[in-house]
Amino acid sequence: MKFTSTLVTLIAVLRSADAKKDKEEDVDVDVEMVDVDTKFVVDYPTYFPTYAPTVKDEVSSTGVYGQLFCTKLHFFLHLTSSIQTSSPKGFLGNDLIDVPELGIRLDSSLTATKIANVGQKVQLTNGESSLRWHNWMDGATAIALPNGNHVYVSNSEDDDGKGGVYGLYFDKDGKPYDYKQLLSGTTWNCSGGQTPWDTWVSCEEHSRGQCWEIDPNPSSDYHHKPQQTVLGGQDGGMYEAVAVQDDIKKADGPTFFVTEDQSNGALRRVETSCRGWEALKVGGCSSKTTYLRFLNNQRFEWTSDENLGRQSASKHYPNTEGITYHNGKLSFVSKAWYVMFTLDFDSMTWTKERTGRKLIGQGSFLGQPDGVISGYNQRYMYFTEEDEKGNGMYARDEYGQYYTVFQAMSGQYVGDETVGMAVSPDGKTMYVGYQESGVLFALKRKDDKVWDR
């Protein structure tokens, strides 16, 4: 009891000090990413879990020993940040319950159904699919089709030209009726993003990776004509995810943002001059690419100098992954740092927060944030997680509070990661799964309401 009381007091003091530090300006902090086990500088994309924060805090007046203490302290604070004192409730205010047949703990007001499994044929309304569910599924979206149908578009992060994109087609009643490959011959298709004209951009995550546009609509003239886009540039890179700012008042096209999973992977902004299939086509409409650069006083700018952008990424936002344009602001995660950054375009300022820091109820968001999407009506943001154990899916409300949607049961999905979040066009189904285990779930509310209501 004495130890527990002392620990709680220590946690309160340390978290209070850490919260104060969060409010201070720290844009001039020099950062080196270090693998905790090997002590070598990390300069590779985060293909596999990093089991401890790879952040070295700035040297303060306490010297080297103080610096080492602060580094360990920040990890301790991250671990203790999910110790809950509130009632044990899940995402929709209900207890989490075990679903043994799926290996997850789920908010009791939700239902979960497994609809696909790696290496197995998909059960369709007219029998089985000819193809087996793809390996290493990753980023995804759900796109509306004519007659109330929709398609779940899913990347395959397989290697050596075995990656690509697949489509699982659903009728107006939510029943799957077709499954086929939409892009082949690519490598490590990680994530991507949906365009305003209902195509999917799939990004490769290797040294010369590119971002490819796919039209999943079978009745489209471009359905069988996937194309390389201007988003990857001439040299390519280890690209992750895509977000879109689409101001319908603009006479020209929307603006795209692309993350890159490298220690110096600069966030790039691509401004297009038209809409539709020609907007991102190489040799199509004109476009302009600039790169995110953090300035003093938590301000930022877009620079045409890629080197300046990469220097800023190395110092402030390395190894970026999930990204979304949410309620007029751009948010993206630095997986290695367990941090989400948010850019305010009106004030040209940025903020950051540790993902899962304010988790309400049961569960714990202690792993690395990976994917992030906006909900049906942008009331919530949703996150997937890469962790050694307990990985799951989480929601964040407008007040910065996090909630567990579901989480792996003890001993399940060890070393795996949740992937493939996408909301059906009617807002009632959330698709999500586990990458290495290769399972895809469909989650629904028992009251049949949309997810964000």
Side-chain angles (χ1 to χ4, degrees):
M1 179 65 72
K2 182 177 180 181
F3 171 77
T4 303
S5 177
T6 303
L7 177 61
V8 171
T9 302
L10 176 61
I11 290 171
V13 171
L14 295 181
R15 291 182 67 182
S16 176
D18 194 60
K20 180 179 179 181
K21 182 180 181 298
D22 281 346
K23 296 181 181 180
E24 298 173 355
E25 296 174 0
D26 61 351
V27 295
D28 292 324
V29 176
D30 289 320
V31 176
E32 180 182 71
M33 297 180 61
V34 178
D35 187 303
V36 174
D37 294 326
T38 64
K39 307 303 182 186
F40 292 123
V41 173
V42 175
D43 193 22
Y44 48 80
T46 51
Y47 301 125
F48 303 105
T50 303
Y51 299 125
T54 49
V55 178
K56 182 176 75 176
D57 290 314
E58 63 270 33
V59 178
S60 67
S61 59
T62 57
V64 175
Y65 291 105
Q67 177 187 344
L68 292 174
F69 172 75
C70 288
T71 301
K72 300 300 183 182
L73 173 59
H74 275 262
F75 184 43
F76 174 71
L77 288 169
H78 185 79
L79 291 177
T80 59
S81 64
S82 291
I83 295 177
Q84 303 303 322
T85 57
S86 57
S87 59
K89 303 298 181 182
F91 167 51
L92 295 175
N94 299 283
D95 293 329
L96 299 180
I97 59 172
D98 289 349
V99 186
E101 62 272 24
L102 300 181
I104 60 175
R105 303 182 67 219
L106 179 70
D107 186 296
S108 61
S109 60
L110 301 173
T111 64
T113 305
K114 183 169 69 174
I115 57 176
N117 208 141
V118 64
Q120 298 181 14
K121 295 185 176 182
V122 182
Q123 298 302 311
L124 307 174
T125 54
N126 56 350
E128 292 184 332
S129 61
S130 58
L131 296 178
R132 299 180 185 275
W133 189 250
H134 52 284
N135 296 323
W136 299 99
M137 65 180 192
D138 209 325
T141 193
I143 295 177
L145 297 172
N147 303 319
N149 299 344
H150 71 274
V151 53
Y152 175 75
V153 183
S154 173
N155 280 356
S156 170
E157 201 179 16
D158 213 340
D159 59 8
D160 297 330
K162 296 178 294 192
V165 178
Y166 293 78
L168 180 57
Y169 290 78
F170 294 85
D171 62 24
K172 62 181 180 179
D173 297 318
K175 306 294 184 181
Y177 65 87
D178 194 13
Y179 170 65
K180 61 184 177 180
Q181 190 166 16
L182 302 173
L183 174 69
S184 61
T186 52
T187 298
W188 286 338
N189 296 69
C190 189
S191 190
Q194 184 174 335
T195 70
W197 41 92
D198 289 339
T199 60
W200 169 248
V201 176
S202 175
C203 294
E204 297 176 286
E205 187 186 1
H206 59 83
S207 60
R208 295 188 61 82
Q210 287 292 341
C211 296
W212 302 81
E213 187 173 11
I214 298 95
D215 192 335
N217 185 352
S219 61
S220 168
D221 292 338
Y222 306 106
H223 181 58
H224 296 292
K225 302 176 181 179
Q227 66 176 0
Q228 181 179 324
T229 70
V230 298
L231 297 180
Q234 292 184 347
D235 298 328
M238 294 180 173
Y239 300 122
E240 283 280 341
V242 176
V244 185
Q245 179 189 18
D246 185 23
D247 186 348
I248 60 176
K249 297 179 182 179
K250 290 175 59 178
D252 50 5
T255 300
F256 293 80
F257 304 90
V258 187
T259 57
E260 186 176 3
D261 189 5
Q262 291 197 90
S263 60
N264 67 341
L267 178 67
R268 58 183 56 203
R269 178 184 70 168
V270 180
E271 298 172 279
T272 61
S273 60
C274 69
R275 295 175 174 274
W277 192 251
E278 293 293 318
L280 297 176
K281 181 180 180 180
V282 176
C285 298
S286 62
S287 61
K288 177 183 178 182
T289 300
T290 51
Y291 306 89
L292 175 63
R293 184 189 183 197
F294 281 175
L295 306 172
N296 290 326
N297 301 317
Q298 289 191 265
R299 300 188 66 82
F300 70 90
E301 68 174 4
W302 298 101
T303 175
S304 58
D305 189 328
E306 183 175 353
N307 288 330
L308 288 179
R310 292 194 176 280
Q311 291 171 18
S312 188
S314 296
K315 191 173 185 179
H316 304 299
Y317 61 93
N319 298 94
T320 53
E321 298 223 9
I323 186 170
T324 187
Y325 188 69
H326 183 81
N327 288 332
K329 298 179 181 180
L330 187 71
S331 294
F332 59 95
V333 298
S334 172
K335 186 172 183 177
W337 283 12
Y338 301 75
V339 166
M340 180 177 72
F341 295 92
T342 297
L343 307 182
D344 187 325
F345 294 144
D346 292 332
S347 64
M348 293 298 288
T349 58
W350 60 270
T351 57
K352 70 175 182 180
E353 68 180 51
R354 287 179 177 83
T355 50
R357 185 70 178 271
K358 299 177 182 178
L359 192 140
I360 306 299
Q362 284 184 333
S364 59
F365 188 1
L366 297 179
Q368 294 175 309
D370 194 342
V372 54
I373 65 170
S374 295
Y376 180 71
N377 59 21
Q378 300 212 344
R379 179 180 176 186
Y380 293 97
M381 298 170 66
Y382 297 98
F383 296 79
T384 53
E385 176 187 31
E386 184 172 354
D387 197 12
E388 176 62 18
K389 58 183 180 179
N391 35 50
M393 174 184 162
Y394 309 89
R396 178 192 182 275
D397 66 19
E398 59 186 316
Y399 305 107
Q401 299 179 131
Y402 290 78
Y403 308 85
T404 301
V405 177
F406 74 87
Q407 201 162 30
M409 292 174 58
S410 178
Q412 299 294 316
Y413 305 108
V414 175
D416 211 327
E417 62 178 296
T418 43
V419 295
M421 288 184 300
V423 183
S424 62
D426 65 3
K428 293 185 176 183
T429 303
M430 175 71 78
Y431 301 104
V432 63
Y434 283 94
Q435 185 179 61
E436 292 188 33
S437 301
V439 293
L440 177 66
F441 303 136
L443 310 182
K444 294 186 177 184
R445 292 175 55 150
K446 291 180 178 178
D447 59 13
D448 199 38
K449 294 180 179 178
V450 298
W451 267 74
D452 278 15
R453 185 169 179 177

